[in-house]
Amino acid sequence: MGIEAATTIDRTGEADRHGRRAAKIRARGACPALSAPMPTGDGLLVRLRPAGGALTLSQFASLARAAAAHGNGILEITARGNLQIRGLSAETVGPLAAAIDAAGIAVPDGPAIETSPLHGIDPEEVSDPAAIELALRNKLHELLASPRLAPKLSIVVDGGGAFHLSALSADIHIVALSHADWLVAINGDGETATPVATGPAEAVISAAGDILSLLAALGQGRRARHIDPALLRARFPAMDQLRAIPSRAANMPLSGPHRLADGKTVLGVRPEFGQMRAPDLTALLDLAESHGATAIRLAPGRGFFLIGPPADTVPTMQIAAARYGFSAQAGDNSEHIAACAGAGACGSAFYETRSLARRILAAAPALFDGSLTLHLSGCAKGCAHARPALTLTGTAEGYDLILNGLAADQPDERIAGGRIDFAIERLARSIEDNRSAGESAAACLTRLGATGVLEALRQE
């Protein structure tokens, strides 16, 4: 299994057929909103975030039916808790939007504003972010609609609570300090973002508007990291005296049942690798409704919460969810795999990502101690995961293995298609044989380095 010369693959066919027609709609790299879908290997894709990330059961079921009627019936939940609908065409995007409107699902224009998934119902929440989201959209409507803002501009409003958003990176982070006071920080997550302002709701809305104005003035899709520090300090002279975002306790797991402080139950559910088919989703929602669930909250981590099922119905729902391809149990190793749609669902993919994921879960449990993410990308676009990870990228010849990088990065090793299972087993064996007591899989891989890992892969 030697290293082969790098090749550049020009994938044409179905992707181009859809892409040429949809190029006027939105180029890849932009945010594929309802008004601007993105061409992919299986047609057009739209990403949407309902207001507050909240849906009724009937609304979610209507969305599933619309995805089947106007797309290919595949829905996805992203790592940030947004919905994607795949397999659309230029002719079906309009009817999809009409179906969403008819279901009473509000999808605000402009950048997604991500809020804590249990906002308004979690007794541990510091303050409700929904009011901040509404004020941002009402008072900063023109700024948020500016075409000079980056298409992927990210805004997080974190009210705290049992499931907060400290792990999400954003251009603008607005974090609850108390019931009445908030902090605004930019360019990072809960640990790395730079604080610029604090105060009541009115003050932080004004501060967010100032940041958006700076970004719009920069133009050309610039992000918060591009703002000149001198410009920031001129607008926020007290920023150097501000403390960092307060640390939060670890989030409760997404998957599984959780009893909130007031005794109410929520059940966290993850579709396998973040992807679900419309009939499976509608079956799950019918089951949830019959067992007393009342609403849906989308959540980071490629899943959602079912709100309000009586505690005594949860075990039955967990068992049934698994039959439809959903995990409702904490500790499922699949949550550490980011897999794209893959061959069979996307014309750009060179292999069936989910099939390989299941084989890896069975053959290489040493990889899944929670210390790393395995990214299975059907092609070099890397749609499923935008951060460095242990990555397998599909190619015409087989697989590119990137030990810590993106799907399009130069591979550390090229693996022929028929040898992938052998290579994964060798990689897991290398971790098992070399890991020190208490050492994580990620730390072991880092210590072994590319030389040590590749030596293990090449052994016969």
Side-chain angles (χ1 to χ4, degrees):
M1 189 201 314
I3 297 179
E4 304 171 13
T7 58
T8 300
I9 299 166
D10 182 14
R11 187 75 162 168
T12 57
E14 184 178 355
D16 280 352
R17 186 169 68 251
H18 291 294
R20 282 194 300 271
R21 189 169 192 178
K24 298 184 227 179
I25 302 177
R26 178 68 81 178
R28 174 167 290 279
C31 187
L34 260 176
S35 59
M38 181 178 74
T40 69
D42 57 342
L44 299 179
L45 176 148
V46 298
R47 182 178 303 145
L48 57 95
R49 180 174 180 81
L55 293 165
T56 66
L57 296 178
S58 62
Q59 285 175 332
F60 206 5
S62 295
L63 197 58
R65 290 191 292 270
H70 306 298
N72 59 13
I74 295 177
L75 301 93
E76 296 171 327
I77 303 181
T78 71
R80 299 182 73 96
N82 297 314
L83 278 170
Q84 294 186 161
I85 298 175
R86 305 188 67 94
L88 300 160
S89 69
E91 292 80 14
T92 62
V93 171
L96 173 72
I100 291 172
D101 185 61
I105 301 171
V107 182
D109 293 330
I113 299 176
E114 294 152 341
T115 53
S116 315
L118 299 179
H119 65 81
I121 59 175
D122 181 2
E124 298 178 45
E125 187 174 61
V126 179
S127 191
D128 188 352
I132 298 292
E133 177 188 3
L134 184 62
L136 284 168
R137 295 202 180 277
N138 287 341
K139 297 182 179 180
L140 305 179
H141 175 75
E142 291 186 8
L143 270 174
L144 289 169
S146 172
R148 295 181 63 80
L149 294 178
K152 290 190 175 182
L153 179 81
S154 53
I155 301 174
V156 162
V157 185
D158 185 1
F163 200 104
H164 52 75
L165 302 181
S166 294
L168 286 190
S169 181
D171 291 282
I172 302 174
H173 248 285
I174 303 176
V175 182
L177 299 177
S178 68
H179 178 70
D181 288 320
W182 298 77
L183 179 146
V184 182
I186 67 167
N187 185 33
D189 57 24
E191 292 185 359
T192 63
T194 301
V196 297
T198 61
E202 296 79 5
V204 298
I205 299 301
S206 177
D210 289 339
I211 295 165
L212 292 171
S213 294
L214 289 173
L215 290 170
L218 289 174
Q220 299 179 337
R222 296 301 181 95
R223 309 292 292 273
R225 63 181 177 272
H226 297 120
I227 299 176
D228 186 333
L231 289 176
L232 267 183
R233 287 182 173 83
R235 176 58 191 87
F236 304 107
M239 61 178 283
D240 289 331
Q241 281 72 54
L242 297 180
R243 297 179 182 179
I245 295 176
S247 60
R248 306 282 199 203
N251 267 336
M252 68 184 192
L254 169 57
S255 299
H258 306 285
R259 184 70 64 89
L260 301 181
D262 60 358
K264 293 179 182 176
T265 300
V266 298
L267 178 61
V269 177
R270 293 179 66 255
E272 188 181 40
F273 314 119
Q275 187 179 97
M276 50 202 166
R277 294 187 178 274
D280 295 325
L281 176 57
T282 54
L284 177 70
L285 295 173
D286 288 343
L287 174 79
E289 184 175 25
S290 70
H291 283 74
T294 58
I296 294 289
R297 293 294 181 88
L298 302 173
R302 306 180 191 277
F304 56 88
F305 290 106
L306 289 165
I307 308 300
D312 60 355
T313 70
V314 167
T316 301
M317 291 178 61
Q318 288 177 287
I319 294 170
R323 295 200 298 267
Y324 301 125
F326 295 84
S327 171
Q329 304 280 356
D332 188 335
N333 283 340
S334 67
E335 67 186 61
H336 304 302
I337 297 180
C340 70
C346 177
S348 295
F350 287 98
Y351 71 97
E352 294 182 359
T353 54
R354 284 159 172 73
S355 175
L356 179 60
R358 297 184 193 104
R359 302 203 307 270
I360 293 173
L361 285 168
L367 292 174
F368 303 108
D369 62 355
S371 64
L372 57 78
T373 296
L374 175 62
H375 179 194
L376 302 182
S377 185
C379 72
K381 296 173 186 175
C383 299
H385 194 70
R387 295 185 177 183
L390 176 62
T391 301
L392 280 170
T393 301
T395 73
E397 292 79 24
Y399 303 83
D400 283 354
L401 173 66
I402 300 105
L403 294 176
N404 184 28
L406 305 177
D409 286 350
Q410 184 69 22
D412 293 293
E413 179 77 321
R414 291 284 177 93
I415 302 170
R419 295 178 63 86
I420 186 60
D421 291 283
F422 171 85
I424 291 297
E425 289 174 5
R426 283 290 184 184
L427 182 61
R429 181 77 58 82
S430 177
I431 292 173
E432 291 172 342
D433 291 346
N434 291 282
R435 182 156 49 184
S436 303
E439 187 177 37
S440 69
C444 182
L445 284 176
T446 299
R447 180 171 55 79
L448 290 174
T451 300
V453 172
L454 300 183
E455 180 180 344
L457 291 177
R458 292 169 182 165
Q459 291 177 3
E460 295 295 339

